[in-house]
Amino acid sequence: VTFFPAMLTLPAGRSATFFCNTSTEKDPGLEYSLNCYKETNHSHAQKIAEFSPNNHDRNTEKYLLTNHSHTFKLEILNLSQNDSGFYYCGLITFFERNKLMESNRALLVVTVAPENTNTTDEPEMEENDTPDYVNAMLLGILLLAGVAGLLIFGCLTAMYRRGGMISRGGSAMDERPPVVSVSTVDYGVLEFQWDQRTQVSPETWPVVQTEYATIIFPDEKPTTPE
């Protein structure tokens, strides 16, 4: 009894197909039963499908086992990651000394299904066109940035040269001493008005005499006489 292929790696959602080849064609009248098993952790075996000539309609929604001229076909539908493990078949013969014959183990590895799958050709064409469009936009932006950089560099160069000429032309003026601001004072005339009626001779003036005057500031700035 042989079980093949020895290993299958498929994404989730697909179907796996194994074949179990037996030697029952040498004895057409042999009564037998063929079982398929799933083994996990190399210890526990679980019967998943069974076939016998008298009662062979024992398929389930998950496992399909059919006979094709003494080569049995096992289909595992709608794969999930829990279906990963070792599979094999066992031939049980009746009224024979070798009652049970087991096949070799085959490994099934179920990977994660891809998130984005394209079923038509149009999305693929759109995806292929997208990078060209993006590349064209990036190229245009780079060209505009280069032109703007050249303009800015030219303006700065012209301003720098112009500033150098002005500084060279005004070097003689810069040598003059700086202008110092000088505060000016305006002088005015303060006049005292004497009372003409009570004139006192200088001899009779007291030692301490207080004079009072009214200072009136004109609205306009007075002219200081030379």
Side-chain angles (χ1 to χ4, degrees):
V1 182
T2 56
F3 197 72
F4 59 92
M7 181 177 179
L8 282 178
T9 302
L10 295 170
R14 299 281 296 277
S15 299
T17 302
F18 290 99
F19 296 93
C20 181
N21 193 7
T22 65
S23 59
T24 56
E25 70 274 6
K26 296 180 181 180
D27 190 356
L30 180 66
E31 295 183 5
Y32 67 91
S33 176
L34 183 77
N35 297 333
C36 290
Y37 302 90
K38 176 185 177 183
E39 187 178 78
T40 57
N41 299 328
H42 300 279
S43 59
H44 179 69
Q46 176 186 1
K47 184 171 72 173
I48 57 176
E50 179 182 359
F51 179 89
S52 61
N54 297 328
N55 187 10
H56 54 79
D57 189 11
R58 292 189 178 182
N59 294 325
T60 63
E61 296 180 357
K62 183 70 175 178
Y63 304 100
L64 298 179
L65 182 61
T66 55
N67 184 11
H68 298 276
S69 299
H70 306 284
T71 298
F72 297 87
K73 178 181 178 182
L74 174 65
E75 295 180 85
I76 307 173
L77 308 178
N78 193 17
L79 292 175
S80 64
Q81 290 187 307
N82 293 330
D83 295 324
S84 299
F86 290 90
Y87 293 81
Y88 66 97
C89 62
L91 179 64
I92 302 175
T93 59
F94 301 100
F95 307 107
E96 291 288 340
R97 180 177 298 178
N98 297 327
K99 185 175 181 180
L100 176 62
M101 292 181 289
E102 292 184 355
S103 68
N104 57 295
R105 269 64 171 168
L107 177 61
L108 173 62
V109 178
V110 181
T111 59
V112 179
E115 295 181 358
N116 296 326
T117 56
N118 295 324
T119 57
T120 59
D121 294 334
E122 294 181 359
E124 294 180 356
M125 294 176 62
E126 292 178 357
E127 291 180 0
N128 293 332
D129 293 338
T130 300
D132 296 335
Y133 176 72
V134 173
N135 291 334
M137 290 183 61
L138 292 176
L139 181 60
I141 293 173
L142 291 176
L143 289 175
L144 291 176
V147 173
L150 290 176
L151 291 176
I152 294 173
F153 179 78
C155 293
L156 292 177
T157 303
M159 293 175 63
Y160 176 78
R161 291 180 178 177
R162 185 176 179 182
M165 293 176 64
I166 293 174
S167 62
R168 288 194 298 270
S171 60
M173 297 178 62
D174 295 336
E175 294 177 357
R176 293 182 300 176
V179 179
V180 179
S181 61
V182 179
S183 301
T184 59
V185 179
D186 291 335
Y187 296 91
V189 178
L190 182 62
E191 297 180 356
F192 293 91
Q193 296 180 1
W194 292 84
D195 191 359
Q196 300 295 332
R197 294 175 297 176
T198 58
Q199 293 184 358
V200 181
S201 60
E203 291 80 5
T204 59
W205 287 351
V207 178
V208 178
Q209 184 178 358
T210 302
E211 299 291 342
Y212 296 92
T214 302
I215 302 174
I216 300 175
F217 296 96
D219 295 335
E220 296 182 357
K221 184 178 180 182
T223 302
T224 303
E226 296 181 356

Tab-separated table of all heavy atoms in Angstrom, residues 114-157:
chain	number	residue	atom	x	y	z
A	114	PRO	N	-3.677	34.313	0.455
A	114	PRO	CA	-3.341	35.717	0.159
A	114	PRO	C	-4.551	36.602	0.330
A	114	PRO	O	-5.688	36.210	0.043
A	114	PRO	CB	-2.861	35.667	-1.301
A	114	PRO	CG	-3.456	34.419	-1.857
A	114	PRO	CD	-3.544	33.444	-0.727
A	115	GLU	N	-4.299	37.836	0.817
A	115	GLU	CA	-5.407	38.751	1.101
A	115	GLU	C	-6.053	39.275	-0.162
A	115	GLU	O	-7.271	39.310	-0.281
A	115	GLU	CB	-4.895	39.922	1.949
A	115	GLU	CG	-4.414	39.494	3.319
A	115	GLU	CD	-3.944	40.674	4.136
A	115	GLU	OE1	-3.962	41.806	3.599
A	115	GLU	OE2	-3.554	40.478	5.304
A	116	ASN	N	-5.237	39.703	-1.144
A	116	ASN	CA	-5.769	40.283	-2.378
A	116	ASN	C	-5.495	39.335	-3.528
A	116	ASN	O	-4.356	39.061	-3.868
A	116	ASN	CB	-5.113	41.642	-2.670
A	116	ASN	CG	-5.443	42.656	-1.587
A	116	ASN	OD1	-6.527	42.630	-1.026
A	116	ASN	ND2	-4.501	43.538	-1.299
A	117	THR	N	-6.549	38.803	-4.116
A	117	THR	CA	-6.442	37.931	-5.280
A	117	THR	C	-7.232	38.547	-6.410
A	117	THR	O	-8.381	38.947	-6.247
A	117	THR	CB	-6.988	36.530	-4.964
A	117	THR	OG1	-8.332	36.638	-4.492
A	117	THR	CG2	-6.136	35.848	-3.890
A	118	ASN	N	-6.630	38.610	-7.599
A	118	ASN	CA	-7.279	39.191	-8.773
A	118	ASN	C	-7.856	38.068	-9.623
A	118	ASN	O	-7.154	37.135	-10.020
A	118	ASN	CB	-6.265	39.995	-9.601
A	118	ASN	CG	-5.750	41.184	-8.828
A	118	ASN	OD1	-6.501	41.803	-8.077
A	118	ASN	ND2	-4.470	41.514	-8.992
A	119	THR	N	-9.141	38.137	-9.881
A	119	THR	CA	-9.811	37.121	-10.691
A	119	THR	C	-9.924	37.523	-12.139
A	119	THR	O	-10.229	36.697	-12.990
A	119	THR	CB	-11.222	36.848	-10.125
A	119	THR	OG1	-11.961	38.077	-10.094
A	119	THR	CG2	-11.118	36.300	-8.703
A	120	THR	N	-9.737	38.791	-12.470
A	120	THR	CA	-9.824	39.248	-13.845
A	120	THR	C	-8.517	39.910	-14.232
A	120	THR	O	-7.674	40.212	-13.403
A	120	THR	CB	-10.984	40.253	-14.017
A	120	THR	OG1	-10.758	41.363	-13.155
A	120	THR	CG2	-12.315	39.604	-13.663
A	121	ASP	N	-8.383	40.161	-15.534
A	121	ASP	CA	-7.154	40.779	-16.030
A	121	ASP	C	-7.180	42.285	-15.918
A	121	ASP	O	-6.145	42.923	-15.944
A	121	ASP	CB	-6.933	40.381	-17.502
A	121	ASP	CG	-6.652	38.884	-17.626
A	121	ASP	OD1	-6.148	38.299	-16.643
A	121	ASP	OD2	-6.934	38.340	-18.689
A	122	GLU	N	-8.376	42.898	-15.820
A	122	GLU	CA	-8.454	44.351	-15.797
A	122	GLU	C	-7.805	44.956	-14.565
A	122	GLU	O	-7.036	45.902	-14.680
A	122	GLU	CB	-9.916	44.801	-15.901
A	122	GLU	CG	-10.548	44.470	-17.222
A	122	GLU	CD	-11.981	44.959	-17.295
A	122	GLU	OE1	-12.446	45.536	-16.296
A	122	GLU	OE2	-12.612	44.763	-18.345
A	123	PRO	N	-8.036	44.426	-13.334
A	123	PRO	CA	-7.344	45.010	-12.184
A	123	PRO	C	-5.829	44.921	-12.305
A	123	PRO	O	-5.113	45.790	-11.862
A	123	PRO	CB	-7.865	44.187	-11.003
A	123	PRO	CG	-9.203	43.693	-11.462
A	123	PRO	CD	-9.033	43.443	-12.937
A	124	GLU	N	-5.316	43.814	-12.931
A	124	GLU	CA	-3.878	43.695	-13.074
A	124	GLU	C	-3.340	44.782	-13.980
A	124	GLU	O	-2.284	45.346	-13.736
A	124	GLU	CB	-3.521	42.324	-13.629
A	124	GLU	CG	-3.849	41.178	-12.655
A	124	GLU	CD	-3.474	39.843	-13.235
A	124	GLU	OE1	-3.030	39.826	-14.409
A	124	GLU	OE2	-3.621	38.833	-12.537
A	125	MET	N	-4.091	45.092	-15.062
A	125	MET	CA	-3.663	46.153	-15.949
A	125	MET	C	-3.661	47.499	-15.237
A	125	MET	O	-2.764	48.311	-15.395
A	125	MET	CB	-4.570	46.204	-17.175
A	125	MET	CG	-4.460	44.968	-18.059
A	125	MET	SD	-5.604	45.018	-19.423
A	125	MET	CE	-5.036	46.465	-20.279
A	126	GLU	N	-4.673	47.732	-14.378
A	126	GLU	CA	-4.721	48.988	-13.634
A	126	GLU	C	-3.570	49.086	-12.668
A	126	GLU	O	-2.958	50.131	-12.502
A	126	GLU	CB	-6.051	49.100	-12.893
A	126	GLU	CG	-7.242	49.268	-13.842
A	126	GLU	CD	-8.536	49.334	-13.060
A	126	GLU	OE1	-8.473	49.199	-11.826
A	126	GLU	OE2	-9.593	49.508	-13.686
A	127	GLU	N	-3.228	47.955	-12.012
A	127	GLU	CA	-2.115	47.988	-11.079
A	127	GLU	C	-0.791	48.222	-11.800
A	127	GLU	O	0.096	48.883	-11.284
A	127	GLU	CB	-2.063	46.678	-10.288
A	127	GLU	CG	-3.226	46.509	-9.309
A	127	GLU	CD	-3.123	45.210	-8.549
A	127	GLU	OE1	-2.170	44.461	-8.792
A	127	GLU	OE2	-4.001	44.950	-7.708
A	128	ASN	N	-0.685	47.662	-13.017
A	128	ASN	CA	0.550	47.872	-13.768
A	128	ASN	C	0.666	49.312	-14.252
A	128	ASN	O	1.758	49.835	-14.402
A	128	ASN	CB	0.593	46.916	-14.957
A	128	ASN	CG	0.723	45.467	-14.512
A	128	ASN	OD1	1.275	45.199	-13.442
A	128	ASN	ND2	0.226	44.533	-15.299
A	129	ASP	N	-0.498	49.966	-14.524
A	129	ASP	CA	-0.453	51.341	-14.993
A	129	ASP	C	-0.207	52.335	-13.870
A	129	ASP	O	0.285	53.429	-14.091
A	129	ASP	CB	-1.764	51.699	-15.705
A	129	ASP	CG	-1.927	50.900	-17.001
A	129	ASP	OD1	-0.900	50.433	-17.539
A	129	ASP	OD2	-3.059	50.762	-17.456
A	130	THR	N	-0.551	51.966	-12.661
A	130	THR	CA	-0.426	52.901	-11.541
A	130	THR	C	1.007	53.341	-11.287
A	130	THR	O	1.278	54.524	-11.124
A	130	THR	CB	-1.039	52.282	-10.277
A	130	THR	OG1	-2.419	52.002	-10.543
A	130	THR	CG2	-0.931	53.227	-9.102
A	131	PRO	N	1.990	52.449	-11.275
A	131	PRO	CA	3.362	52.922	-11.033
A	131	PRO	C	3.853	53.898	-12.088
A	131	PRO	O	4.559	54.843	-11.759
A	131	PRO	CB	4.169	51.614	-11.041
A	131	PRO	CG	3.191	50.562	-10.682
A	131	PRO	CD	1.896	51.010	-11.301
A	132	ASP	N	3.480	53.711	-13.379
A	132	ASP	CA	3.907	54.647	-14.419
A	132	ASP	C	3.337	56.031	-14.174
A	132	ASP	O	4.026	57.043	-14.339
A	132	ASP	CB	3.470	54.124	-15.794
A	132	ASP	CG	4.154	52.801	-16.129
A	132	ASP	OD1	5.246	52.551	-15.575
A	132	ASP	OD2	3.606	52.034	-16.927
A	133	TYR	N	2.075	56.098	-13.766
A	133	TYR	CA	1.452	57.393	-13.504
A	133	TYR	C	2.131	58.087	-12.326
A	133	TYR	O	2.420	59.289	-12.366
A	133	TYR	CB	-0.033	57.167	-13.238
A	133	TYR	CG	-0.788	58.423	-12.851
A	133	TYR	CD1	-1.048	59.406	-13.787
A	133	TYR	CD2	-1.234	58.610	-11.545
A	133	TYR	CE1	-1.735	60.549	-13.442
A	133	TYR	CE2	-1.920	59.748	-11.187
A	133	TYR	CZ	-2.178	60.718	-12.143
A	133	TYR	OH	-2.852	61.849	-11.787
A	134	VAL	N	2.407	57.314	-11.295
A	134	VAL	CA	3.064	57.901	-10.118
A	134	VAL	C	4.476	58.357	-10.469
A	134	VAL	O	4.933	59.428	-10.050
A	134	VAL	CB	3.085	56.877	-8.967
A	134	VAL	CG1	3.913	57.399	-7.801
A	134	VAL	CG2	1.654	56.581	-8.505
A	135	ASN	N	5.175	57.553	-11.274
A	135	ASN	CA	6.533	57.943	-11.664
A	135	ASN	C	6.520	59.225	-12.485
A	135	ASN	O	7.400	60.080	-12.330
A	135	ASN	CB	7.182	56.814	-12.466
A	135	ASN	CG	7.465	55.600	-11.600
A	135	ASN	OD1	7.643	55.731	-10.395
A	135	ASN	ND2	7.512	54.426	-12.199
A	136	ALA	N	5.521	59.384	-13.370
A	136	ALA	CA	5.443	60.601	-14.162
A	136	ALA	C	5.203	61.818	-13.276
A	136	ALA	O	5.804	62.887	-13.467
A	136	ALA	CB	4.327	60.469	-15.195
A	137	MET	N	4.317	61.675	-12.280
A	137	MET	CA	4.064	62.787	-11.365
A	137	MET	C	5.325	63.159	-10.577
A	137	MET	O	5.661	64.336	-10.419
A	137	MET	CB	2.926	62.422	-10.411
A	137	MET	CG	1.563	62.339	-11.061
A	137	MET	SD	0.274	61.994	-9.853
A	137	MET	CE	0.401	63.410	-8.788
A	138	LEU	N	6.027	62.146	-10.090
A	138	LEU	CA	7.242	62.422	-9.329
A	138	LEU	C	8.292	63.108	-10.202
A	138	LEU	O	8.991	64.026	-9.750
A	138	LEU	CB	7.796	61.115	-8.754
A	138	LEU	CG	6.955	60.445	-7.661
A	138	LEU	CD1	7.574	59.122	-7.253
A	138	LEU	CD2	6.828	61.353	-6.448
A	139	LEU	N	8.408	62.667	-11.458
A	139	LEU	CA	9.377	63.286	-12.350
A	139	LEU	C	9.038	64.759	-12.604
A	139	LEU	O	9.919	65.627	-12.602
A	139	LEU	CB	9.423	62.511	-13.669
A	139	LEU	CG	10.425	63.019	-14.715
A	139	LEU	CD1	11.830	62.970	-14.152
A	139	LEU	CD2	10.320	62.194	-15.986
A	140	GLY	N	7.719	65.066	-12.802
A	140	GLY	CA	7.305	66.454	-13.002
A	140	GLY	C	7.587	67.319	-11.793
A	140	GLY	O	8.059	68.455	-11.908
A	141	ILE	N	7.329	66.773	-10.600
A	141	ILE	CA	7.587	67.533	-9.369
A	141	ILE	C	9.081	67.814	-9.216
A	141	ILE	O	9.502	68.914	-8.833
A	141	ILE	CB	7.031	66.766	-8.155
A	141	ILE	CG1	5.491	66.725	-8.220
A	141	ILE	CG2	7.486	67.412	-6.849
A	141	ILE	CD1	4.868	65.845	-7.167
A	142	LEU	N	9.902	66.819	-9.525
A	142	LEU	CA	11.346	67.024	-9.414
A	142	LEU	C	11.843	68.084	-10.400
A	142	LEU	O	12.706	68.904	-10.061
A	142	LEU	CB	12.070	65.695	-9.652
A	142	LEU	CG	11.901	64.626	-8.558
A	142	LEU	CD1	12.580	63.331	-8.963
A	142	LEU	CD2	12.471	65.122	-7.236
A	143	LEU	N	11.289	68.078	-11.625
A	143	LEU	CA	11.694	69.083	-12.593
A	143	LEU	C	11.310	70.486	-12.134
A	143	LEU	O	12.098	71.434	-12.233
A	143	LEU	CB	11.060	68.767	-13.960
A	143	LEU	CG	11.622	67.532	-14.693
A	143	LEU	CD1	10.842	67.269	-15.958
A	143	LEU	CD2	13.099	67.712	-14.999
A	144	LEU	N	10.062	70.627	-11.635
A	144	LEU	CA	9.640	71.939	-11.142
A	144	LEU	C	10.508	72.406	-9.977
A	144	LEU	O	10.880	73.583	-9.884
A	144	LEU	CB	8.163	71.878	-10.725
A	144	LEU	CG	7.145	71.711	-11.863
A	144	LEU	CD1	5.753	71.561	-11.296
A	144	LEU	CD2	7.204	72.894	-12.825
A	145	ALA	N	10.826	71.485	-9.085
A	145	ALA	CA	11.672	71.861	-7.948
A	145	ALA	C	13.059	72.287	-8.418
A	145	ALA	O	13.654	73.240	-7.887
A	145	ALA	CB	11.776	70.687	-6.974
A	146	GLY	N	13.592	71.593	-9.448
A	146	GLY	CA	14.901	71.987	-9.969
A	146	GLY	C	14.894	73.364	-10.592
A	146	GLY	O	15.804	74.182	-10.371
A	147	VAL	N	13.831	73.671	-11.385
A	147	VAL	CA	13.738	74.998	-12.003
A	147	VAL	C	13.615	76.080	-10.933
A	147	VAL	O	14.257	77.141	-11.001
A	147	VAL	CB	12.546	75.029	-12.973
A	147	VAL	CG1	12.323	76.442	-13.491
A	147	VAL	CG2	12.800	74.097	-14.157
A	148	ALA	N	12.773	75.844	-9.922
A	148	ALA	CA	12.613	76.832	-8.849
A	148	ALA	C	13.935	77.048	-8.111
A	148	ALA	O	14.302	78.174	-7.758
A	148	ALA	CB	11.528	76.377	-7.875
A	149	GLY	N	14.674	75.965	-7.874
A	149	GLY	CA	15.960	76.116	-7.199
A	149	GLY	C	16.957	76.937	-8.007
A	149	GLY	O	17.684	77.763	-7.466
A	150	LEU	N	16.960	76.726	-9.345
A	150	LEU	CA	17.858	77.522	-10.186
A	150	LEU	C	17.487	79.001	-10.163
A	150	LEU	O	18.361	79.880	-10.116
A	150	LEU	CB	17.819	76.982	-11.620
A	150	LEU	CG	18.462	75.599	-11.831
A	150	LEU	CD1	18.261	75.137	-13.260
A	150	LEU	CD2	19.949	75.636	-11.493
A	151	LEU	N	16.170	79.307	-10.207
A	151	LEU	CA	15.746	80.702	-10.156
A	151	LEU	C	16.148	81.365	-8.845
A	151	LEU	O	16.637	82.499	-8.816
A	151	LEU	CB	14.232	80.782	-10.355
A	151	LEU	CG	13.712	80.420	-11.764
A	151	LEU	CD1	12.202	80.438	-11.793
A	151	LEU	CD2	14.271	81.393	-12.810
A	152	ILE	N	15.933	80.676	-7.754
A	152	ILE	CA	16.294	81.250	-6.449
A	152	ILE	C	17.800	81.477	-6.370
A	152	ILE	O	18.277	82.506	-5.881
A	152	ILE	CB	15.801	80.332	-5.320
A	152	ILE	CG1	14.258	80.298	-5.303
A	152	ILE	CG2	16.343	80.781	-3.968
A	152	ILE	CD1	13.686	79.290	-4.337
A	153	PHE	N	18.574	80.519	-6.875
A	153	PHE	CA	20.033	80.674	-6.846
A	153	PHE	C	20.478	81.857	-7.689
A	153	PHE	O	21.368	82.627	-7.307
A	153	PHE	CB	20.677	79.381	-7.340
A	153	PHE	CG	22.176	79.434	-7.379
A	153	PHE	CD1	22.913	79.303	-6.205
A	153	PHE	CD2	22.859	79.628	-8.569
A	153	PHE	CE1	24.292	79.365	-6.223
A	153	PHE	CE2	24.231	79.682	-8.604
A	153	PHE	CZ	24.960	79.547	-7.432
A	154	GLY	N	19.838	82.041	-8.871
A	154	GLY	CA	20.186	83.181	-9.712
A	154	GLY	C	19.867	84.507	-9.051
A	154	GLY	O	20.646	85.453	-9.100
A	155	CYS	N	18.694	84.595	-8.406
A	155	CYS	CA	18.325	85.839	-7.721
A	155	CYS	C	19.288	86.158	-6.587
A	155	CYS	O	19.724	87.306	-6.411
A	155	CYS	CB	16.894	85.734	-7.199
A	155	CYS	SG	15.641	85.669	-8.514
A	156	LEU	N	19.626	85.144	-5.809
A	156	LEU	CA	20.553	85.389	-4.702
A	156	LEU	C	21.925	85.814	-5.211
A	156	LEU	O	22.585	86.693	-4.630
A	156	LEU	CB	20.672	84.117	-3.856
A	156	LEU	CG	19.419	83.707	-3.072
A	156	LEU	CD1	19.655	82.393	-2.348
A	156	LEU	CD2	19.044	84.793	-2.071
A	157	THR	N	22.381	85.221	-6.315
A	157	THR	CA	23.683	85.598	-6.868
A	157	THR	C	23.679	87.046	-7.345
A	157	THR	O	24.622	87.818	-7.118
A	157	THR	CB	24.039	84.653	-8.017
A	157	THR	OG1	24.027	83.304	-7.544
A	157	THR	CG2	25.425	84.960	-8.569
